[in-house]
Amino acid sequence: MMTTKQSIDLAAIDQRLNRFSKIVNSKQPLRPVKKGESIRTGVDLGTSSIVLTVLDHDNQMLYGTFEYADAVRDGVVVNYLDSVKILTRLKQRAEHVLGVNLTTACGAIPPGTGKGSAKVVANVIESAEMACRNVVDEPTAAATFLNLKTGTVVDIGGGTTGISVFNRGKLTQVVDEPTGGYHMTLVIGGNYGIESSAAEALKRDASREAEIFPLIRPVVEKMATIVKNTVGADIKQPVIVVGGAVNFADFVPTFSDVLGVPVYKPTFPQYITPLGIAMDDHD
């Protein structure tokens, strides 16, 4: 168990994330959905992928699926039609294996991107024939899944770094800065002289991590510097990093060195925000 100013059972969180990863990989639901059962759906329109998650009424994980996509840039939907097509496919896939219709969902946006971005996300969800109950900011969604009352969530998205600070259950600060996984991809592409799609694939290749990470280390250090300068010296702990762009062995040590405090990365951090989004899909 991780113990700081605010205790979080990181082992229990990792167990849930491991279980969810198995659900995603199996392409099958954890269990059948009962007739008339209330379910919750989350939609995460990310820069590199679109993720759909389904929970039961008690926030137990039922199903998850995703597709890689290039429809969002820096937290803003830049290809509306592709976003709707992909989300519709994910919805149909989920409905087929669950045996129920998904009628509602929640979405999310990077903090500070405005009502316009939230409206576009809601429109994408509704164009996929689900009523959009709410659009939350991504780091707050992550904190919901983590059950974090006091601490700092740093959500490294594809195009932005979102920072949410919580104190005794209250959100006290939320900031979004334009540096994320896409900027790592640009550095890799520039170094090897390859297009972004090839650079993105190279970034995801775990067997090349020792070669790739030294190239993107300055980007990670910049992300940590942004957090340090934004939050200040009295940073609320624990500091939890989430998002697919943090899946490097040296990410946390590098981030922690710059920040000057311990940093924690749950397993499968790319699923934390989508699961937290689904938890907000209720009356």
Side-chain angles (χ1 to χ4, degrees):
M1 178 179 291
M2 178 181 69
T3 303
T4 61
K5 294 179 181 179
Q6 165 70 29
S7 294
I8 297 179
D9 191 344
L10 193 60
I13 291 169
D14 284 350
Q15 286 179 352
R16 293 189 69 196
L17 291 169
N18 280 320
R19 187 160 60 248
F20 185 72
S21 177
K22 290 179 180 178
I23 293 171
V24 173
N25 292 334
S26 73
K27 300 181 181 180
Q28 294 297 322
L30 181 65
R31 62 168 177 79
V33 176
K34 301 174 184 177
K35 185 177 180 179
E37 181 179 0
S38 177
I39 57 177
R40 299 174 175 180
T41 305
V43 173
D44 189 2
L45 302 178
T47 298
S48 61
S49 64
I50 294 177
V51 184
L52 183 142
T53 55
V54 182
L55 311 177
D56 69 12
H57 183 73
D58 296 319
N59 291 327
Q60 298 303 306
M61 300 170 292
L62 292 176
Y63 181 74
T65 185
F66 73 95
E67 279 192 29
Y68 291 118
D70 189 24
V72 179
R73 182 75 69 236
D74 295 343
V76 178
V77 174
V78 295
N79 194 323
Y80 183 87
L81 290 179
D82 276 1
S83 296
V84 173
K85 288 178 181 178
I86 293 171
L87 180 56
T88 299
R89 284 199 298 269
L90 296 178
K91 173 179 178 283
Q92 291 172 346
R93 192 180 304 162
E95 290 176 335
H96 175 72
V97 299
L98 290 167
V100 295
N101 293 327
L102 303 182
T103 58
T104 65
C106 283
I109 56 172
T113 51
K115 293 182 179 179
S117 293
K119 180 61 176 175
V120 172
V121 169
N123 287 343
V124 169
I125 291 173
E126 292 180 353
S127 293
E129 299 185 351
M130 292 180 287
C132 182
R133 289 192 193 267
N134 195 14
V135 178
V136 298
D137 75 80
E138 293 167 351
T140 300
T144 298
F145 176 78
L146 296 167
N147 194 28
L148 183 71
K149 302 303 181 184
T150 296
T152 304
V153 176
V154 182
D155 190 344
I156 310 294
T160 61
T161 295
I163 308 155
S164 289
V165 182
F166 298 85
N167 187 23
R168 298 179 181 179
K170 293 184 178 180
L171 179 63
T172 60
Q173 190 173 8
V174 57
V175 180
D176 193 61
E177 294 289 342
T179 300
Y182 182 66
H183 299 82
M184 297 177 180
T185 303
L186 290 177
V187 169
I188 295 169
N191 183 79
Y192 289 99
I194 57 179
E195 294 186 357
S196 60
S197 58
E200 182 69 22
L202 186 56
K203 184 180 71 175
R204 295 178 185 146
D205 187 348
S207 68
R208 304 284 292 275
E209 184 172 330
E211 171 190 352
I212 295 301
F213 191 79
L215 301 176
I216 62 172
R217 186 187 300 274
V219 181
V220 177
E221 291 173 340
K222 180 180 179 181
M223 293 171 178
T225 299
I226 287 171
V227 176
K228 187 174 183 178
N229 291 343
T230 299
V231 178
D234 188 26
I235 188 168
K236 293 294 182 184
Q237 298 186 54
V239 178
I240 312 291
V241 291
V242 303
V246 309
N247 274 321
F248 294 93
D250 288 334
F251 186 99
V252 165
T254 301
F255 208 91
S256 181
D257 285 346
V258 174
L259 207 56
V261 298
V263 174
Y264 304 92
K265 176 181 74 70
T267 187
F268 300 108
Q270 67 269 32
Y271 294 137
I272 292 174
T273 298
L275 289 165
I277 296 170
M279 292 173 70
D280 202 57
D281 181 22
H282 58 82
D283 293 325

